[in-house]
C-alpha cells in the first residue's frame, strides 16, 4: 500500500513563500496523478492542486497564480511551491495519489499521510 510523507511546512509571514514536498513510497508512482489538499480548523478538506501522470496541472481558484505543483518521477516525489502566502492559506497540507484526480472532486482516498502544517501569520 502507498505511504505518503509530507514535509516543508512552517510559520511564515503574509507574502512569504514555502516549498512543500511529498515522498510517495510504493509502486507505479509515474502512472498516478498526484494532488495537494488542505484542511483548516473547522473546515472540510479541499483540493488545492492536481497534476496528471503526463504533467498537466490544475489549481483551485483560491491559489491560482500563487501555487505551482510539480513532480519528479525519478525521486517518487511531488512538490508544491507556494508564494504570496495569505493568512487564508493556513492549514494542514496533505498529498495523495490516484489514477484520475481532478480539481473539482475531493476523491475518496483509502489513507492519508500525517500532513504538514502551514501557518501564515504576522
Amino acid at each position: 500500500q502507498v505511504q505518503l510523507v509530507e514535509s516543508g511546512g512552517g510559520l511564515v509571514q503574509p507574502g512569504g513563500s514555502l516549498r512543500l514536498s511529498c515522498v510517495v513510497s510504493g509502486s507505479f508512482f509515474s502512472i498516478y496523478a498526484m494532488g495537494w489538499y488542505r484542511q483548516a480548523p473547522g473546515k472540510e478538506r479541499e483540493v488545492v492542486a492536481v497534476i496528471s501522470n503526463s504533467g498537466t496541472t490544475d489549481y483551485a481558484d483560491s491559489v491560482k497564480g500563487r501555487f505551482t505543483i510539480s513532480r519528479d518521477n525519478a525521486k517518487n516525489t511531488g512538490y508544491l511551491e507556494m508564494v504570496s502566502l495569505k493568512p487564508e492559506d493556513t492549514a494542514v497540507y496533505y498529498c495523495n495519489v490516484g489514477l484520475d484526480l481532478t480539481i473539482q472532486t475531493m476523491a475518496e482516498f483509502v489513507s492519508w499521510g500525517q500532513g504538514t502544517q502551514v501557518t501564515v501569520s504576522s
Side-chain angles (χ1 to χ4, degrees):
Q1 186 59 240
V2 65
Q3 292 187 339
L4 307 148
V5 181
E6 301 93 341
S7 63
L11 173 64
V12 297
Q13 294 182 338
S17 302
L18 285 172
R19 187 184 191 227
L20 309 183
S21 297
C22 169
V23 178
V24 181
S25 299
S27 300
F28 307 115
F29 173 72
S30 63
I31 74 170
Y32 291 125
M34 188 268 290
W36 284 95
Y37 307 82
R38 67 185 182 187
Q39 187 167 25
K43 303 282 189 177
E44 293 186 352
R45 194 166 300 186
E46 63 177 343
V47 188
V48 175
V50 295
I51 182 168
S52 74
N53 63 331
S54 64
T56 302
T57 60
D58 204 1
Y59 301 89
D61 288 341
S62 59
V63 308
K64 196 170 297 182
R66 300 187 298 117
F67 291 9
T68 302
I69 187 172
S70 62
R71 63 192 296 162
D72 186 339
N73 289 342
K75 297 180 179 179
N76 281 13
T77 302
Y79 304 95
L80 186 68
E81 297 178 63
M82 313 160 70
V83 301
S84 301
L85 283 162
K86 305 174 180 179
E88 306 93 280
D89 297 318
T90 296
V92 179
Y93 283 71
Y94 304 87
C95 65
N96 223 313
V97 295
L99 290 176
D100 187 20
L101 303 180
T102 70
I103 202 70
Q104 297 88 358
T105 302
M106 185 68 211
E108 296 292 337
F109 296 106
V110 174
S111 63
W112 298 87
Q114 84 286 350
T116 186
Q117 176 73 51
V118 172
T119 302
V120 185
S121 180
S122 58

